[in-house]
Amino acid sequence: DTGVSQNPRHKITKRGQNVTFRCDPISEHNRLYWYRQTLGQGPEFLTYFQNEAQLEKSRLLSDRFSAERPKGSFSTLEIQRTEQGDSAMYLCASSYKGRQETQYFGPGTRLLVL
Amino acid sequence: AQSVTQPDIHITVSEGASLELRCNYSYGATPYLFWYVQSPGQGLQLLLKYFSGDTLVQGIKGFEAEFKRSQSSFNLRKPSVHWSDAAEYFCAVSHMEYGNKLVFGAGTILRVKS
């Protein structure tokens, strides 16, 4: 069991650029969650998938954000026209259908928008 | 609205001393309850969880937590702190009615002095 992996671990970009992050969940975990964590705060829910279906999106997820999980395995989170306020740690978590309530987190992708 | 309060932003304890981190929640029903730990720049590691049954739950690294329904609390304890316990601790709640998405507190930073 290799755990949840996220790439890249760090990303520095200029305001207005697009960025894409990838999350690979634990094998056979059917649910995948994205959270955002800003400095000094706890993580906040962004969106989640069950298999390839996106079941819920937070109002934090503006229309500049899009997430996909095309084959029900890995997921991508894209931010278009980045703003300085997007600077944060983006965390991915997954859970197994026999134990949906327990989420396992990846190491996160830290985004800095200059 | 669901919310989690961790009243202590920072706590400093001496190595070998006991520890208690406080967590209170506001939720429509009795939620699932979790404690996660985060080392600097890292993802979240699950320490322990409560779903039902015995209100005192044991976790990894010698941590335990007690659920008190009357106080809407889920405090984390450890009888003897080690220097390696220095990290940030997050209390979180979820419920399957809300897609098991986690709602986190703002976190408590634990410092251990030798």
Short mmCIF file of all heavy atoms in Angstrom, two decimals, chain A residues 3 9 30 35 40 49 56 60-61 65 73 76-77 81 106 111:
data_model
loop_
_atom_site.label_atom_id
_atom_site.label_comp_id
_atom_site.label_asym_id
_atom_site.label_seq_id
_atom_site.Cartn_x
_atom_site.Cartn_y
_atom_site.Cartn_z
N GLY A 3 0.14 4.48 -0.33
CA GLY A 3 -0.35 5.74 0.19
C GLY A 3 -0.79 6.68 -0.92
O GLY A 3 -0.59 6.41 -2.10
N ARG A 9 5.10 18.54 -5.53
CA ARG A 9 5.02 18.86 -4.11
C ARG A 9 5.03 20.37 -3.89
O ARG A 9 4.44 20.87 -2.94
CB ARG A 9 6.20 18.24 -3.37
CG ARG A 9 6.18 16.72 -3.33
CD ARG A 9 5.03 16.20 -2.45
NE ARG A 9 5.03 16.82 -1.14
CZ ARG A 9 5.79 16.42 -0.13
NH1 ARG A 9 6.60 15.38 -0.28
NH2 ARG A 9 5.74 17.05 1.02
N ASN A 30 -12.38 4.35 -3.63
CA ASN A 30 -13.29 4.87 -4.64
C ASN A 30 -13.61 6.35 -4.43
O ASN A 30 -14.08 7.01 -5.35
CB ASN A 30 -14.59 4.04 -4.68
CG ASN A 30 -15.41 4.19 -3.41
OD1 ASN A 30 -14.87 4.40 -2.33
ND2 ASN A 30 -16.72 4.07 -3.54
N TYR A 35 -8.86 19.30 -0.59
CA TYR A 35 -8.97 20.32 0.44
C TYR A 35 -7.93 21.40 0.17
O TYR A 35 -6.90 21.14 -0.46
CB TYR A 35 -8.71 19.73 1.84
CG TYR A 35 -9.72 18.72 2.31
CD1 TYR A 35 -9.61 17.37 1.94
CD2 TYR A 35 -10.79 19.09 3.14
CE1 TYR A 35 -10.54 16.44 2.37
CE2 TYR A 35 -11.71 18.16 3.58
CZ TYR A 35 -11.58 16.83 3.19
OH TYR A 35 -12.49 15.91 3.62
N GLY A 40 -1.93 28.90 8.83
CA GLY A 40 -2.55 29.12 10.13
C GLY A 40 -3.99 28.64 10.24
O GLY A 40 -4.64 28.90 11.26
N PHE A 49 -15.04 13.22 -5.24
CA PHE A 49 -15.47 12.30 -6.29
C PHE A 49 -15.78 10.94 -5.67
O PHE A 49 -15.10 10.50 -4.74
CB PHE A 49 -14.35 12.09 -7.32
CG PHE A 49 -14.01 13.31 -8.12
CD1 PHE A 49 -13.15 14.26 -7.61
CD2 PHE A 49 -14.56 13.50 -9.37
CE1 PHE A 49 -12.84 15.40 -8.34
CE2 PHE A 49 -14.25 14.62 -10.12
CZ PHE A 49 -13.39 15.57 -9.60
N GLU A 56 -19.84 16.68 -5.17
CA GLU A 56 -20.08 17.94 -4.47
C GLU A 56 -18.92 18.90 -4.70
O GLU A 56 -17.77 18.48 -4.78
CB GLU A 56 -20.26 17.71 -2.97
CG GLU A 56 -20.68 18.96 -2.20
CD GLU A 56 -20.96 18.70 -0.73
OE1 GLU A 56 -21.10 17.53 -0.33
OE2 GLU A 56 -21.03 19.69 0.03
N LEU A 60 -16.24 27.50 -2.22
CA LEU A 60 -14.86 28.00 -2.31
C LEU A 60 -14.29 27.77 -3.69
O LEU A 60 -13.33 28.42 -4.11
CB LEU A 60 -13.98 27.28 -1.28
CG LEU A 60 -14.18 27.57 0.19
CD1 LEU A 60 -13.26 26.68 1.01
CD2 LEU A 60 -13.94 29.04 0.50
N LEU A 61 -14.86 26.79 -4.39
CA LEU A 61 -14.33 26.40 -5.70
C LEU A 61 -14.94 27.33 -6.75
O LEU A 61 -16.00 27.03 -7.31
CB LEU A 61 -14.71 24.95 -5.96
CG LEU A 61 -13.73 24.10 -6.76
CD1 LEU A 61 -12.44 23.94 -6.01
CD2 LEU A 61 -14.33 22.74 -7.06
N PHE A 65 -11.53 27.20 -10.92
CA PHE A 65 -11.06 25.89 -10.48
C PHE A 65 -11.86 24.81 -11.19
O PHE A 65 -13.09 24.90 -11.30
CB PHE A 65 -11.28 25.73 -8.97
CG PHE A 65 -10.36 26.53 -8.10
CD1 PHE A 65 -10.47 27.92 -8.03
CD2 PHE A 65 -9.39 25.91 -7.33
CE1 PHE A 65 -9.63 28.66 -7.22
CE2 PHE A 65 -8.54 26.64 -6.52
CZ PHE A 65 -8.66 28.02 -6.46
N SER A 73 -9.61 6.88 -11.19
CA SER A 73 -8.37 6.57 -10.46
C SER A 73 -7.73 7.87 -10.01
O SER A 73 -8.16 8.43 -9.01
CB SER A 73 -7.43 5.74 -11.34
OG SER A 73 -7.17 6.42 -12.57
N THR A 76 -7.11 15.31 -11.16
CA THR A 76 -6.37 16.55 -11.38
C THR A 76 -7.20 17.72 -10.89
O THR A 76 -8.43 17.71 -10.97
CB THR A 76 -6.01 16.75 -12.86
OG1 THR A 76 -7.22 16.75 -13.63
CG2 THR A 76 -5.08 15.67 -13.35
N LEU A 77 -6.50 18.71 -10.38
CA LEU A 77 -7.13 19.97 -9.97
C LEU A 77 -6.42 21.07 -10.73
O LEU A 77 -5.20 21.23 -10.63
CB LEU A 77 -6.97 20.19 -8.46
CG LEU A 77 -7.53 21.49 -7.89
CD1 LEU A 77 -9.05 21.51 -7.99
CD2 LEU A 77 -7.10 21.68 -6.44
N ARG A 81 -5.87 31.19 -14.46
CA ARG A 81 -5.67 32.61 -14.14
C ARG A 81 -5.43 32.78 -12.63
O ARG A 81 -6.18 33.46 -11.93
CB ARG A 81 -6.89 33.42 -14.58
CG ARG A 81 -7.24 33.22 -16.06
CD ARG A 81 -8.45 34.07 -16.46
NE ARG A 81 -9.64 33.81 -15.67
CZ ARG A 81 -10.45 32.78 -15.84
NH1 ARG A 81 -10.20 31.89 -16.78
NH2 ARG A 81 -11.53 32.63 -15.07
N GLY A 106 -2.64 12.70 1.34
CA GLY A 106 -1.35 12.78 0.69
C GLY A 106 -0.51 13.89 1.32
O GLY A 106 -0.97 14.58 2.23
N LEU A 111 1.36 25.65 -3.25
CA LEU A 111 1.32 26.60 -4.36
C LEU A 111 1.65 27.99 -3.86
O LEU A 111 1.06 28.46 -2.88
CB LEU A 111 -0.05 26.61 -5.02
CG LEU A 111 -0.28 27.69 -6.09
CD1 LEU A 111 0.60 27.45 -7.30
CD2 LEU A 111 -1.75 27.75 -6.49
#
